[in-house]
């Protein structure tokens, strides 16, 4: 079994020195997500500027406990999303989800998901997919909670 | 000296009975199965017993006058008697088959919460009553009691864990009072391996008139059990952790208690007389076995009891105790590894959980798996226990009749490799 496809240097870099970590103010929404099978947890705060799809992520802060994959995923995601608009993020999140559910058949487009391609090795390990996607689900839940897109 | 000559226990002969142990995970990787605490593997004798039943005698039990139905009913009730003998139950009628141990515990919790006036007071939990559990419980022996408390207005209390990974009984007298209706406790922690002082606890509970419910999932597969002398009122265990099939659990309860308890699930097979206006219920165990039961699984579980009985549970316990000691001693030598459980000795059995400093158990388990070492990672359905020790999860190795010293050594070597693997990123 090829462990190096899972534990890349990029994963460990983010695990050791996570970007944008820690909970900050101000924030428009805060969510807490748990992976009940392993007990991994993330608290994620989202601060937006502007309205609707053009609202921009002014800050995304988080406190994550979990495996290297889940912590690296939160770090990479925060770095990827901060400064982008909700509209810009939508295809990034969609691509991430698609690749993670492709059972390792897709490697992911670095132009779209940046460092997160380093996480796509986990797609070959079905029980690790949730580790990677937990932070992304938390972002999406936080976005809904801000109601910047209205009630939907 | 090998194990056979030291203890008269021929683990290689045992292994030859378990077809799955011959498989490889991939070309270079033999299976080193150290997750028997989650589910154990099944010997050919258990698999064959189910196949023989299905190819000879399969029919719905306890209905129909045809010969096949009679053969199936005999097999089902014969299995009940075999299993009852194996655990020292005074009577087979005291054994209720459920889909798993979780359902068995829920059965008791639900029935005690029915609150019918016709039910004797000691079998009715209501407002002002207390339910006592422990901080080490598996969720299966915690959540049903939380829910019973919530439904009935009773109060849930718990015996805390001590720093030495045993139950802290300092305040037992104030926790176990006249208000306590039920004490629900594990025989052996599925994480720590700690054996609870069940006789002492049962005596204390009975002194205040409380019922004692034992989660025996981790003890029945691993040590001699004589329920008649253990002093408890109910015990629950599962088939699949003791070399038997999934889809079957067992609730044992004292005959006079079961006889006075209202049913859990209702429907066919559990009735006495049914009219459009109402129904009277069958005597136990039928009262608690609504619907068509799992017959081939009962036959398989009886075969598992026969298999374990032939090995001798004293021998099984000694075998696993030696493995536990070996694992603890090996793991302790490794830098950053901390065993989460008592020292090797008579008060603990074969679940060995551990923590590797700075590394999440998921990552540890992934690297071990790459070497064929299959362990459990996470909170093992005992989240409050992990929280008590400031842990998000642990890595757990657990053993069974077929586990070898070489496999324990592979775990220890594997942990050495885990440490090396992650060290190269910590430069």
């Amino acid at each position: 079994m090829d462990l190096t496809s899972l534990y890349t240097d990029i994963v460990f870099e983010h695990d050791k020195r996570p970007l944008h970590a820690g909970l900050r103010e101000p924030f428009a929404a805060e969510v807490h997500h748990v992976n009940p099978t392993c007990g991994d947890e993330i608290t994620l705060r989202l601060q937006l500027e502007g309205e609707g799809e053009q609202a921009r992520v002014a800050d995304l802060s988080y406190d994550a406990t979990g495996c290297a994959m889940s912590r690296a995923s939160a770090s990479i995601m925060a770095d990827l999303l901060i400064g982008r608009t909700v509209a810009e993020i939508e295809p990034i999140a969609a691509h991430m989800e698609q690749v993670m559910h492709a059972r390792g058949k897709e490697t992911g487009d670095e132009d779209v998901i940046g460092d997160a391609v380093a996480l796509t090795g986990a797609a070959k390990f079905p029980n690790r997919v949730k580790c990677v996607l937990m932070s992304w689900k938390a972002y999406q839940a936080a976005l809904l909670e801000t109601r910047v897109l209205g009630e939907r | 000296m090998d194990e056979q000559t030291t203890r008269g226990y021929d683990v290689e002969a045992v292994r030859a009975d378990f077809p799955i142990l011959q498989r490889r995970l991939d070309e270079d990787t033999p299976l080193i199965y150290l997750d028997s605490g989650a589910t154990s593997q099944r010997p050919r004798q258990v698999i064959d017993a189910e196949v023989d039943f299905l190819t000879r005698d399969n029919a719905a039990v306890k209905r129909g006058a045809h010969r096949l139905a009679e053969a199936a009913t005999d097999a089902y009730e014969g299995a009940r008697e075999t299993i009852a003998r194996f655990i020292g139950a005074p009577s087979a009628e005291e054994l209720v088959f459920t889909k798993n141990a979780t359902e068995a515990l829920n059965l008791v919790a639900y029935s005690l919460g029915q609150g019918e006036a016709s039910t004797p007071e000691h079998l009715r939990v209501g407002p002002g009553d207390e339910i006592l559990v422990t901080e080490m419980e598996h969720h299966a022996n915690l959540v049903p009691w939380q829910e019973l408390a919530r439904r009935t207005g009773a109060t849930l209390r718990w015996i805390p864990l001590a720093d030495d990974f045993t139950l802290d009984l300092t305040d037992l007298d104030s926790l176990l009072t006249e208000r306590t209706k039920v004490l629900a406790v594990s025989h052996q922690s599925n994480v720590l391996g700690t054996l609870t002082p069940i006789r002492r606890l049962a005596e204390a509970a009975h002194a205040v008139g409380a019922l004692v419910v034992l989660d025996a999932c981790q003890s029945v597969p691993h040590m001699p059990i004589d329920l008649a002398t253990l002093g408890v009122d109910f015990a629950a265990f599962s088939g699949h952790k003791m070399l038997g099939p999934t889809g079957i659990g067992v609730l044992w309860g004292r005959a006079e208690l079961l006889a006075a308890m209202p049913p859990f699930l209702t429907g066919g097979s559990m009735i006495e007389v049914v009219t459009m206006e109402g129904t009277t219920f069958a005597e136990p165990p039928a009262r608690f076995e609504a619907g068509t039961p799992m017959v081939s699984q009962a036959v398989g579980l009886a075969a598992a009891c026969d298999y374990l009985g032939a090995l001798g549970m004293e021998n099984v316990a000694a075998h696993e105790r030696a493995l536990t000691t070996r694992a603890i001693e090996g793991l302790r030598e490794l830098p950053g590894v901390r065993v989460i459980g008592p020292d090797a000795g008579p008060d603990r059995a074969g679940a060995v959980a551990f923590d590797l400093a700075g590394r999440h158990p998921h990552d540890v388990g992934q690297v071990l798996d790459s070497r064929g070492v299959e362990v459990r990672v996470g909170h093992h359905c005992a989240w409050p226990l992990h929280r008590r020790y400031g842990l998000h999860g642990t890595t757990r190795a657990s053993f069974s009749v077929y586990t070898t010293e070489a496999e324990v050594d592979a775990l220890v070597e594997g942990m050495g490799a885990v440490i090396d693997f992650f060290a190269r990123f910590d430069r």
Side-chain angles (χ1 to χ4, degrees):
Chain A
M1 185 198 289
D2 184 16
L3 276 178
T4 50
S5 71
L6 194 58
Y7 294 107
T8 57
D9 288 332
I10 292 175
V11 166
F12 277 109
E13 188 51 39
H14 282 277
D15 179 39
K16 252 163 66 179
R17 281 178 282 274
L19 305 172
H20 314 289
L23 294 170
R24 291 180 294 275
E25 305 206 7
F27 58 95
E30 179 183 282
V31 296
H32 180 71
H33 277 210
V34 176
N35 180 345
T37 54
C38 56
D40 290 356
E41 298 182 48
I42 185 168
T43 303
L44 182 145
R45 289 176 176 179
L46 186 60
Q47 175 68 359
L48 297 173
E49 273 167 8
E51 288 303 316
E53 296 249 307
Q54 293 314 309
R56 199 171 287 280
V57 175
D59 195 16
L60 190 159
S61 65
Y62 62 93
D63 179 31
T65 54
C67 62
M69 306 306 297
S70 73
R71 288 162 47 84
S73 180
S75 168
I76 291 168
M77 183 190 77
D79 201 43
L80 207 52
L81 304 196
I82 291 172
R84 288 186 205 257
T85 65
V86 170
E88 287 165 352
I89 290 168
E90 202 158 306
I92 299 174
H95 186 63
M96 192 68 197
E97 184 129 351
Q98 179 197 324
V99 173
M100 289 311 297
H101 285 127
R103 292 241 164 186
K105 293 190 186 72
E106 294 179 38
T107 50
D109 184 345
E110 194 167 356
D111 290 340
V112 180
I113 56 173
D115 268 6
V117 292
L119 299 166
T120 58
K124 275 185 279 185
F125 302 86
N127 68 350
R128 302 309 292 272
V129 171
K130 272 200 279 187
C131 310
V132 172
L133 289 182
M134 184 166 73
S135 49
W136 291 82
K137 302 267 184 216
Y139 159 73
Q140 267 146 357
L143 178 63
L144 276 180
E145 205 154 288
T146 63
R147 295 171 194 251
V148 71
L149 301 175
E151 305 277 351
R152 51 170 188 183
Chain B
M1 276 201 295
D2 62 20
E3 284 169 289
Q4 186 176 351
T5 49
T6 51
R7 283 197 303 284
Y9 184 90
D10 188 351
V11 71
E12 288 307 326
V14 170
R15 290 178 70 80
D17 289 331
F18 289 77
I20 200 169
L21 299 179
Q22 318 308 318
R23 76 156 279 182
R24 287 176 169 265
L25 292 169
D26 56 51
E27 234 170 84
D28 315 317
T29 319
L31 171 67
I32 298 166
Y33 188 74
L34 299 178
D35 198 16
S36 295
T39 201
S40 57
Q41 300 300 345
R42 301 175 208 173
R44 204 177 293 282
Q45 289 83 341
V46 169
I47 298 165
D48 287 350
E50 278 202 79
V51 171
D52 288 349
F53 171 80
L54 292 170
T55 50
R56 262 182 62 85
D57 295 330
N58 185 46
V61 295
K62 297 192 212 174
R63 61 196 76 182
H66 54 75
R67 272 172 283 174
L68 212 54
E70 280 169 12
T73 305
D74 284 350
Y76 184 63
E77 294 304 331
R80 198 190 305 274
E81 283 169 23
T82 301
I83 299 162
R85 269 197 305 278
F86 180 71
I87 55 169
S91 154
E93 306 297 299
E94 296 183 334
L95 254 67
V96 176
F97 290 132
T98 58
K99 80 170 179 200
N100 50 31
T102 299
E103 188 183 277
L105 292 162
N106 273 274
L107 188 164
V108 180
Y110 182 88
S111 181
L112 296 180
Q114 286 292 71
E116 285 169 31
S118 58
T119 306
E121 216 265 331
H122 66 289
L123 291 166
R124 256 190 291 146
V125 173
D129 290 338
E130 291 182 358
I131 302 160
L132 185 61
V133 296
T134 85
E135 204 175 9
M136 71 160 57
E137 296 310 309
H138 187 285
H139 298 164
N141 200 31
L142 172 59
V143 182
W145 303 113
Q146 289 176 337
E147 287 298 292
L148 175 63
R150 190 183 57 76
R151 281 198 309 271
T152 60
T155 302
L156 185 83
R157 304 184 76 183
W158 53 91
I159 300 171
L161 277 162
D163 289 343
D164 67 357
F165 306 110
T166 64
L167 293 177
D168 180 354
L169 299 178
T170 320
D171 296 325
L172 186 64
D173 287 346
S174 61
L175 287 167
L176 196 55
T177 69
E178 306 280 303
R179 292 186 297 278
T180 312
K181 270 282 171 63
V182 184
L183 168 66
V185 60
S186 292
H187 201 184
Q188 185 204 311
S189 164
N190 69 312
V191 179
L192 308 171
T194 306
L195 288 162
T196 53
I198 188 61
R199 282 194 176 79
R200 177 184 164 192
L201 288 171
E203 260 173 47
H206 286 153
V208 297
L211 297 167
V212 180
V213 181
L214 184 71
D215 173 355
C217 285
Q218 297 293 339
S219 57
V220 168
H222 304 293
M223 66 182 77
I225 296 289
D226 186 27
L227 285 177
T229 61
L230 217 46
V232 303
D233 300 302
F234 299 93
F237 55 96
S238 48
H240 71 99
K241 292 189 199 292
M242 54 186 289
L243 319 182
T246 51
I248 186 165
V250 176
L251 173 70
W252 169 80
R254 291 193 187 281
E256 66 276 18
L257 299 175
L258 290 176
M261 284 163 61
F264 170 40
L265 303 173
T266 56
S269 300
M270 54 76 70
I271 54 96
E272 188 182 53
V273 177
V274 180
T275 66
M276 287 312 294
E277 287 72 33
T279 297
T280 55
F281 304 125
E283 291 300 308
R287 186 187 303 166
F288 303 102
E289 294 181 357
T292 303
M294 61 307 275
V295 187
S296 66
Q297 289 93 327
V299 169
L301 180 53
C305 289
D306 285 340
Y307 187 88
L308 287 167
L311 290 179
M313 290 310 289
E314 290 287 359
N315 298 328
V316 169
H319 172 70
E320 293 182 20
R321 187 150 290 166
L323 296 172
T324 303
T325 304
R326 193 178 184 91
I328 291 172
E329 283 171 0
L331 289 168
R332 283 225 170 113
E333 298 295 311
L334 300 170
V337 174
R338 184 164 69 106
V339 173
I340 307 300
D343 290 345
D347 294 332
R348 71 115 71 218
V352 180
F354 53 92
D355 178 54
L356 173 61
R359 280 295 148 212
H360 191 277
H362 238 170
D363 297 321
V364 173
Q366 192 87 52
V367 179
L368 287 176
D369 173 64
S370 74
R371 303 168 63 89
V373 178
E374 311 291 77
V375 294
R376 176 112 182 237
V377 295
H379 53 59
H380 321 305
C381 298
W383 214 333
L385 179 156
H386 282 85
R387 207 171 280 123
R388 162 65 178 83
Y389 295 114
L391 298 160
H392 289 280
T394 50
T395 305
R396 181 190 73 181
S398 53
F399 314 128
S400 184
V401 297
Y402 41 73
T403 311
T404 65
E405 290 183 346
E407 288 181 307
V408 170
D409 295 346
L411 166 72
V412 176
E413 280 159 30
M415 279 309 295
V418 169
I419 293 164
D420 290 345
F421 179 78
F422 290 120
R424 70 195 174 96
F425 296 99
D426 289 334
R427 289 185 297 262

